[in-house]
Amino acid sequence: MSDFQKYLDENLSGIQLNEEDASYDVPDEYDIYKEIREMIIKLRHDNHITQKELAAKCGITQANISNLEKGTSKPTIESLKRIADALGVRLVVDFVGREVE
């Protein structure tokens, strides 16, 4: 066991959480990647093209398109621009205020 692990074990072992601490609600975070995935899938379906066809149009592999749509990889701005161009839309990046619930 490393010295660092011993230090952690010794210093963190006394920490106890009560039920009140452990059960607080974590607010939903805004997931921009989920929104991007949903937009890509919707636009691809609206254009009646497969992942393979989209890949051929934008020069990104079908596997990468699949990974983007599944959320196992995150797109770069460059790949989003290429996908947008292939789908016949313009990529727009904007900063807007958050909605207050």
Side-chain angles (χ1 to χ4, degrees):
M1 183 181 316
S2 72
D3 289 337
F4 181 65
Q5 187 62 51
K6 271 188 214 175
Y7 172 81
L8 290 175
D9 290 344
E10 290 168 3
N11 290 288
L12 298 178
S13 63
I15 296 176
Q16 294 185 5
L17 296 176
N18 61 35
E19 282 186 42
E20 197 173 290
D21 292 334
S23 66
Y24 71 95
D25 290 327
V26 176
D28 291 333
E29 290 293 322
Y30 173 65
D31 187 351
I32 187 67
Y33 295 105
K34 180 180 179 188
E35 188 174 326
I36 289 169
R37 287 193 306 273
E38 290 170 353
M39 284 191 281
I40 291 171
I41 292 167
K42 181 182 182 326
L43 286 166
R44 187 172 58 76
H45 288 167
D46 289 350
N47 282 277
H48 307 288
I49 60 174
T50 64
Q51 289 180 348
K52 185 175 182 178
E53 291 167 328
L54 177 58
K57 285 183 161 196
C58 65
I60 297 173
T61 67
Q62 185 274 327
N64 285 339
I65 298 292
S66 175
N67 289 336
L68 290 175
E69 289 187 3
K70 288 188 296 186
T72 56
S73 68
K74 295 180 178 174
T76 63
I77 297 292
E78 178 59 31
S79 64
L80 289 176
K81 171 128 178 31
R82 292 167 71 176
I83 291 169
D85 289 345
L87 292 169
V89 296
R90 184 170 167 252
L91 176 65
V92 176
V93 177
D94 194 8
F95 293 90
V96 296
R98 293 182 183 229
E99 294 178 16
V100 178
E101 293 181 18

